[in-house]
Amino acid sequence: MIETSLPTRRPAVRTEAVVAVLAFAGIVAAVMQTLVVPLIGELPRLLDTTSSNATWVITATLLAAAVATPISGRLGDLYGKRRVMLACSVLLVAGSLVCALATSVVPMIAGRALQGAAMGLVPLGISAMRDLLPPERLGTSIALMSASMGIGGALGLPVAAAVAEYADWRMLFWGATVLAVAIAVLIFLVIPATPVTARGRFDPVGAVGLGVGLVCLLLGVSKGADWGWTSAGTLGLLGGAVVVLLAWGWFELRTSDPLVDLRVTARPVVLLTNLASVVIGFAMYAQSLIVPQLLQLPTTTGYGLGQDMLQMGLWMAPGGLMMMLVSPLGARLSHARGPRTTLAVGAAVVALGYLSAVALMGSTWGLLVAVCVTNTGVGFAYGAMPALIMGSVPLSETGSANSFNTLMRSIGTSVSAAVVGVVLANLSTDVGGGIALPSEAGFRVGLLIGAGVAALAAVIALSIPRGASRAAEERIEHSAVTAEDDALVPSGA
């Protein structure tokens, strides 16, 4: 049934089932992102291609997710979040099938791009919770859904490593296909039709403009180290991104139905939360670049811990589970003190985790403790950011605003990869035979950068107006009773 009316009350739902299905969807989406990590070194041989071409298997997913996420969020507001989540799950099935059947690099890249285009499942699921759940369950459910990305990443890496080591690599993608089909079926059967909360038309010009600008930006950032930061290609892409995104912003401010309402994103709570999201995304991802390398480098370096891929994944997995365990605590803190406080506490805990990693990087157990501390902070922060966003925008824009916030985190992770890559490349040591590995000093500098960036995120969080943060918390809870008032707020209010 086409979802075309603005509701006055939420449909009756099976709350536990809805939360379980949406959280499972988030976990599966995160699993897709780590699926090929154990295969990176083998992809050139498996697909009969070069190492340079093989890196596009990861880059394509990053670019597709960045472009598609804000688009799917706006479509969810206009046509119903359940319908768009079903469309995302279909893309996930198609992409997984293409990868499972791929015999060369081009279809593999295409399949991974389709998987990336489905990443809007997570922000759409969080936004749908505001439409469907009672107020007493909303905070904890949003926090759990937000934490699902960490849970999926933590579980996906060791499972993927085990399959890659002990079975045919195609089993990874056949398994992904089964999970994607399960998600589509569960969404269809369990998630009720979500109300259409926005009026107007889709903005194709805005979608193309944002897509082009993001591709230029993220491609320049992700490939800058390989192509050279002063190369014509890198500078051209980054310069093109600035021009296109400025033109896109000019257009969005002048169209009646923008893809992203920039006036709403300029509100202090939304603007500062998005800025904090960029910084938190940076801090979160730096750990996932540094700690796995420390665990896997040979012990002969004097600081490597000599773990294989599977062992590394198992050492990292408890950190992701910590995100799930602390999500209810973060929701309670947000209810008691406001999500602003939870975001600041989370960022401070992330900084503490990085500092503990500097002190404990000499042992596997030490890094396990550091990872758990860092991910505890990430779990707090990830649960607070959607609450701040959704409590500060009209109901008609929750999908778009949440998706844009997710995009901000993605930009942070991309910048993190570039910065940490440069640090480790420049602070390296020659181990013989022309082979250079990141030095112990390089890892320490990277960890200290992560701590500093997380501390900056805490400062940004504390800059969010206290009264506005508390009002956002109250507003998102009250919206669980009636949706009509928010839905009728003009988009530029």
Side-chain angles (χ1 to χ4, degrees), residues 220-221 223-239 422:
V221 169
K223 293 295 185 181
D226 295 332
W227 296 346
W229 291 105
T230 58
S231 68
T234 301
L235 293 177
L237 284 170
L238 295 178
V422 168

Side-chain angles (χ1 to χ4, degrees), residues 20-119:
V21 168
L22 292 178
F24 180 52
I27 290 171
V28 171
V31 167
M32 300 301 169
Q33 294 185 318
T34 58
L35 200 63
V36 299
V37 171
L39 295 176
I40 292 300
E42 295 294 315
L43 281 177
R45 178 182 63 82
L46 295 173
L47 300 175
D48 190 25
T49 188
T50 64
S51 297
S52 177
N53 287 339
T55 63
W56 285 97
V57 173
I58 292 179
T59 305
T61 308
L62 166 72
L63 296 178
V67 171
T69 296
I71 293 174
S72 61
R74 181 58 178 162
L75 290 173
D77 288 334
L78 288 170
Y79 303 111
K81 299 173 186 71
R82 175 181 180 268
R83 296 178 70 199
V84 181
M85 283 192 289
L86 283 171
C88 287
S89 63
V90 170
L91 291 175
L92 203 56
V93 172
S96 301
L97 273 174
V98 170
C99 290
L101 298 171
T103 57
S104 63
V105 70
V106 172
M108 178 65 77
I109 292 172
R112 290 290 292 165
L114 287 172
Q115 288 182 322
M119 291 301 108

Side-chain angles (χ1 to χ4, degrees), residues 150-151 153-155 158 312-322 368 371-372 375:
I151 300 167
L155 296 178
M312 179 274 292
L314 292 173
W315 283 111
M316 297 288 291
L321 298 178
M322 284 299 298
L368 172 63
V371 167
C372 287
N375 280 21

Side-chain angles (χ1 to χ4, degrees), residues 16 141 181 221 265 297 325 368 442 483 492:
E16 298 292 342
S141 299
V181 170
V221 169
T265 63
L297 282 176
L325 294 176
L368 172 63

Side-chain angles (χ1 to χ4, degrees), residues 117-485:
M119 291 301 108
L121 274 169
V122 176
L124 282 169
I126 293 173
S127 302
M129 286 178 172
R130 189 184 185 188
D131 296 331
L132 299 173
L133 299 182
E136 65 272 12
R137 291 298 310 274
L138 196 54
T140 55
S141 299
I142 288 173
L144 178 62
M145 182 74 181
S146 300
S148 67
M149 292 297 287
I151 300 167
L155 296 178
L157 188 56
V159 171
V163 172
E165 184 171 351
Y166 299 111
D168 185 349
W169 65 273
R170 295 184 187 277
M171 292 300 297
L172 287 174
F173 296 104
W174 286 119
T177 303
V178 172
L179 289 174
V181 170
I183 286 299
V185 172
L186 288 171
I187 291 174
F188 182 79
L189 294 177
V190 176
I191 307 300
T194 52
V196 169
T197 56
R199 293 190 176 100
R201 297 175 297 175
F202 181 69
D203 175 18
V205 176
V208 172
L210 181 60
V212 172
L214 289 174
V215 167
C216 290
L217 173 64
L218 296 178
L219 194 57
V221 169
S222 63
K223 293 295 185 181
D226 295 332
W227 296 346
W229 291 105
T230 58
S231 68
T234 301
L235 293 177
L237 284 170
L238 295 178
V242 172
V243 172
V244 172
L245 290 175
L246 285 174
W248 172 79
W250 179 87
F251 177 82
E252 292 294 282
L253 289 170
R254 285 158 177 78
T255 185
S256 58
D257 296 308
L259 179 74
V260 178
D261 193 328
L262 296 180
R263 292 182 177 86
V264 171
T265 63
R267 295 175 179 178
V269 174
V270 181
L271 178 63
L272 290 170
T273 302
N274 282 331
L275 182 58
S277 297
V278 175
V279 183
I280 285 289
F282 184 109
M284 180 274 297
Y285 198 63
Q287 171 191 265
S288 64
L289 294 170
I290 294 171
V291 175
Q293 291 193 64
L294 277 170
L295 287 168
Q296 292 182 90
L297 282 176
T299 56
T300 54
T301 60
Y303 50 89
L305 298 172
Q307 305 295 294
D308 62 26
M309 176 69 73
L310 177 57
Q311 291 170 324
M312 179 274 292
L314 292 173
W315 283 111
M316 297 288 291
L321 298 178
M322 284 299 298
M323 292 180 65
M324 179 178 66
L325 294 176
V326 305
S327 60
L329 300 177
R332 291 192 190 105
L333 180 59
S334 292
H335 181 74
R337 303 295 298 272
R340 165 187 178 272
T341 299
T342 307
L343 178 55
V345 169
V349 173
V350 172
L352 179 63
Y354 274 105
L355 292 176
S356 65
V358 174
L360 302 173
M361 61 185 286
S363 71
T364 52
W365 284 102
L367 286 178
L368 172 63
V369 170
V371 167
C372 287
V373 172
T374 302
N375 280 21
T376 295
V378 172
F380 274 43
Y382 271 29
M385 289 185 289
L388 283 165
I389 293 293
M390 289 195 294
S392 304
V393 303
L395 188 64
S396 59
E397 296 185 24
T398 53
S400 176
N402 256 330
S403 297
F404 192 75
N405 180 252
T406 300
L407 171 62
M408 293 298 100
R409 274 183 269 169
S410 298
I411 291 174
T413 61
S414 298
V415 175
S416 178
V419 171
V420 173
V422 168
V423 169
L424 296 183
N426 284 279
L427 295 175
S428 60
T429 181
D430 190 349
V431 296
I435 300 175
L437 295 176
S439 66
E440 184 176 6
F443 286 120
R444 291 187 184 278
V445 170
L447 292 170
L448 290 172
I449 289 173
V453 169
L456 175 61
V459 172
I460 295 172
L462 292 174
S463 301
I464 296 173
R466 184 185 298 273
S469 167
R470 189 62 203 161
E473 173 72 10
E474 293 173 354
R475 185 180 180 202
I476 193 172
E477 290 181 358
H478 292 161
S479 72
V481 179
T482 175
E484 185 172 47
D485 290 343

